[in-house]
Amino acid sequence: MSVRVLRIELRRSVAPWAGAVVLTSALAFLYLVDAAWWRGTTAWTAQWTSLAMWTRSLLFYLWPLAVGLGALQGLRDHRSKMSELLTSTPRPARHRAATLAGTTAITLASAFALLVLVGAVQVPANTAYTHLGWLPISLVGALFLVAGAVLGMGAGRALPSALTPPALAMGAFVFTALMHMSLGRTETTTATGVPITEPNRVSLLSPTVQEVRDVLVTLSTSVHVGQTVWLLGMAATGFALLVAATPRARLIALTPVLAGATLALLVLPSDPRRMYVVDEAAAELVCDGPVCVTRAHQARLADLAGPGEEALRLLRGALGGQAPVSVRENATVLPDGAMPRWSRETVLFDFDDGIIATARGEELTRALVAKGMVPGCSSLGWSGTLNDAAAQSVAAGWALGDLKPLGGSPHAPGDQIAVARPVWKELKALPRAEQLSRINAAHAAALSCEGDALDVLSGGASR
């Protein structure tokens, strides 16, 4: 397709409007809605993978828009009453279809690329970790828009009705919603009895991805391959419908999308832990002495090293031989509802943990001591209880010599102190040996997630 033909096609089609709608609506959604994509380590401009995953999640509504706008484009010849005239010309139908589809594909892909570019220029200011593993996520996202638009064009040409574009857009939206909420989810129960839902293989036929909850999580290669196969079949069906002239040819044109879906389901993984996987390069540890962070957060190591070493010194004084010997960012990714796994040798922390994320200097030291003494035992995806926060305040206060609430906790400082102060006073009134016995018992209970650490500190449970 020459530049001259492209310019003419852009002037006489809805392709520029399709690109503009996709770009402006996506940017408006990102910048006008205060949601999870602005918070924590998984903010959409915090890391490259987070950028790719959050922009892919917008396809929940961008993809139905692309399908509907593509159908509107496919109605152009019917609206202008030129169908019979064009079929009488010597130019092959596939040439006209390629021009129509190519113009829309270029504008939609360019719009999505500009959306990613807006975030990409901001990412380097927030992270020193650079990689190319995020590119396939974005490329498949652009391909979803293109394939959806081409399928919409073919359907609009095959079903020339003013109702076709809105019906297709609504059908595509219902498809993505069902994949995200019911048909694409499988209900399971965790070892602790918490009911959760996990994505299944069928959900990967949807253009969107699940909410970004961990900066180390990315999509596996088999997901990229399976989705590409599915999208190529979808685009082939759309193109075939654009050139089909008979009902029989239109029926045959459905073969690629059905074959693509079948092959994709054979390639796509069935285990959720093989769909969303840990990026091993991003999870690689970078250390300064006994304090380690993942490569994705290596820029934060300098601020963490000093408080981390001081926290280890205080923990040795409080726990003696049972004290951990290192501080490390937790690179283990567990499903929602699972119980956390703690180590006796290592203080494990997460930069998205409120008491860590907001702390600096001495407050960070106190937060790390609290995590080392009494790590929380709430199921992943659930905020800790007030008892957990109070137990951490008491244990950290015992190691540092003064009782203070932990900043960044979901529980108000006044509530923490109100629950912690009676236990603190009772603990400090005991002989030193009895204090140490309760502290060690609470530490053991918190590591094993068996029993309530605050109850142990108050002497209300077996030690």
Side-chain angles (χ1 to χ4, degrees), residues 187-409:
E187 185 170 331
T188 59
T189 303
T190 66
T192 58
V194 178
I196 61 172
T197 61
E198 294 183 314
N200 58 35
R201 180 189 282 121
V202 177
S203 71
L204 297 175
L205 298 179
S206 168
T208 191
V209 295
Q210 67 181 16
E211 184 177 333
V212 186
R213 295 181 178 173
D214 196 298
V215 71
L216 302 179
V217 171
T218 187
L219 291 171
S220 65
T221 302
S222 56
V223 171
H224 299 320
V225 174
Q227 289 182 334
T228 300
V229 170
W230 156 239
L231 293 173
L232 290 177
M234 185 188 301
T237 286
F239 189 81
L241 287 173
L242 275 175
V243 300
T246 64
R248 182 181 178 184
R250 294 187 183 106
L251 285 176
I252 295 174
L254 299 178
T255 303
V257 71
L258 297 176
T262 302
L263 291 175
L265 291 174
L266 294 176
V267 174
L268 293 169
S270 58
D271 185 351
R273 277 152 289 283
R274 291 177 54 229
M275 301 174 190
Y276 295 89
V277 298
V278 174
D279 183 341
E280 298 295 341
E284 181 184 348
L285 293 179
V286 180
C287 300
D288 183 348
V291 181
C292 302
V293 299
T294 61
R295 188 167 295 280
H297 294 135
Q298 59 186 335
R300 306 179 73 164
L301 180 58
D303 293 333
L304 185 72
E309 292 183 2
E310 177 64 11
L312 291 175
R313 185 187 68 78
L314 292 167
L315 288 168
R316 282 194 299 271
L319 299 174
Q322 298 184 46
V325 296
S326 62
V327 174
R328 191 184 76 208
E329 182 183 356
N330 194 352
T332 302
V333 178
L334 298 174
D336 277 352
M339 291 298 292
R341 301 170 185 171
W342 304 120
S343 168
R344 293 185 180 275
E345 292 79 27
T346 304
V347 178
L348 295 174
F349 71 92
D350 191 322
F351 282 115
D352 279 326
D353 188 327
I355 67 173
I356 300 294
T358 60
R360 298 291 184 274
E362 293 181 359
E363 288 302 314
L364 181 55
T365 298
R366 181 179 289 271
L368 290 172
V369 169
K371 297 294 290 184
M373 297 281 281
V374 184
C377 283
S378 296
S379 301
L380 295 183
W382 299 75
S383 60
T385 65
L386 180 56
N387 274 11
D388 288 339
Q392 288 179 330
S393 298
V394 171
W398 188 85
L400 277 77
D402 59 339
L403 178 65
K404 288 184 178 180
L406 295 172
S409 170

Side-chain angles (χ1 to χ4, degrees), residues 46-61:
Q47 296 283 345
W48 292 103
T49 301
S50 299
L51 166 68
M53 295 286 274
W54 278 122
T55 48
R56 267 289 294 274
S57 71
L58 295 179
L59 295 185
F60 186 89
Y61 75 91

Side-chain angles (χ1 to χ4, degrees), residues 94-114:
R94 63 179 181 274
H95 288 182
R96 297 194 303 273
T99 300
L100 183 67
T103 304
T104 303
I106 289 172
T107 55
L108 287 175
S110 299
F112 193 74
L114 285 173

Side-chain angles (χ1 to χ4, degrees), residues 13-58:
S13 72
V14 300
W17 294 104
V21 167
V22 165
L23 178 60
T24 56
S25 63
L27 289 175
F29 202 79
L30 284 171
Y31 280 95
L32 298 181
V33 179
D34 182 17
W37 50 77
W38 285 112
R39 303 191 186 107
T41 61
T42 58
W44 80 292
T45 58
Q47 296 283 345
W48 292 103
T49 301
S50 299
L51 166 68
M53 295 286 274
W54 278 122
T55 48
R56 267 289 294 274
S57 71
L58 295 179

Side-chain angles (χ1 to χ4, degrees), residues 60-76:
F60 186 89
Y61 75 91
L62 291 180
W63 186 69
L65 272 178
V67 173
L69 290 168
L72 184 63
Q73 178 81 318
L75 290 176
R76 185 181 64 183

